[in-house]
Amino acid sequence: MDRIPILKLGEALLVTIQVDMHDRLAMALEEDLTARIVDVAAKGVLIDISALEIVDSFIGRTLANIAMIAKVLDAVTVVVGMRPAVAITLVELGLSLPGVRTALNAERGMAMIRALLDAEGMAPGEEAEGAA
């Protein structure tokens, strides 16, 4: 069975979906990504879906599941590259994708992950470095 590559970039994992997703591939991605988050103690997950022209309800729920699992494993998830037609379809299907943050592209998505990690890294009452 095909697998989707999962790359490590610092504290984050990068998943670029370059093929049409079918249900078994989506389930394999969920399992592989969950294991990889634990293996490398990832703090962020960036999923690039820019190559997907169609996202059905199962794939949408799988993305939401991945985000919820990642959150339980102490990692944030950002989905990038969503095409307008995909966004419209998800809304029409009534899928809100709880826990899934989105950004227009991978650069903005990685910046979002870094910002979220920086914000979480600060203890309550602690000031940012250089703040006076």
Side-chain angles (χ1 to χ4, degrees):
M1 176 171 41
D2 292 334
R3 292 286 204 222
I4 294 174
I6 302 169
L7 306 173
K8 186 175 183 308
L9 291 174
E11 290 186 293
L13 296 175
L14 171 64
V15 178
T16 303
I17 301 170
Q18 296 293 318
V19 296
D20 286 332
M21 293 280 285
H22 50 78
D23 293 358
R24 280 201 309 217
L25 185 58
M27 289 175 14
L29 174 61
E30 184 177 311
E31 292 172 14
D32 293 347
L33 190 52
T34 301
R36 193 91 156 106
I37 290 169
V38 172
D39 289 346
V40 302
K43 294 293 182 185
V45 176
L46 183 90
I47 303 174
D48 182 355
I49 63 169
S50 58
L52 293 182
E53 293 187 30
I54 298 171
V55 173
D56 63 14
S57 61
F58 183 81
I59 303 301
R61 280 192 310 274
T62 300
L63 290 172
N65 286 346
I66 288 171
M68 287 186 284
I69 292 167
K71 184 176 181 178
V72 169
L73 296 173
D74 197 29
V76 297
T77 301
V78 178
V79 174
V80 301
M82 187 177 300
R83 294 173 182 231
V86 169
I88 290 167
T89 300
L90 291 174
V91 170
E92 287 175 349
L93 290 171
L95 295 174
S96 61
L97 303 180
V100 176
R101 292 174 173 87
T102 59
L104 289 177
N105 57 43
E107 184 178 358
R108 286 185 178 184
M110 286 304 290
M112 182 183 289
I113 288 173
R114 280 194 290 287
L116 290 166
L117 295 179
D118 287 348
E120 286 179 3
M122 230 182 289
E126 184 178 311
E127 291 185 39
E129 218 175 296

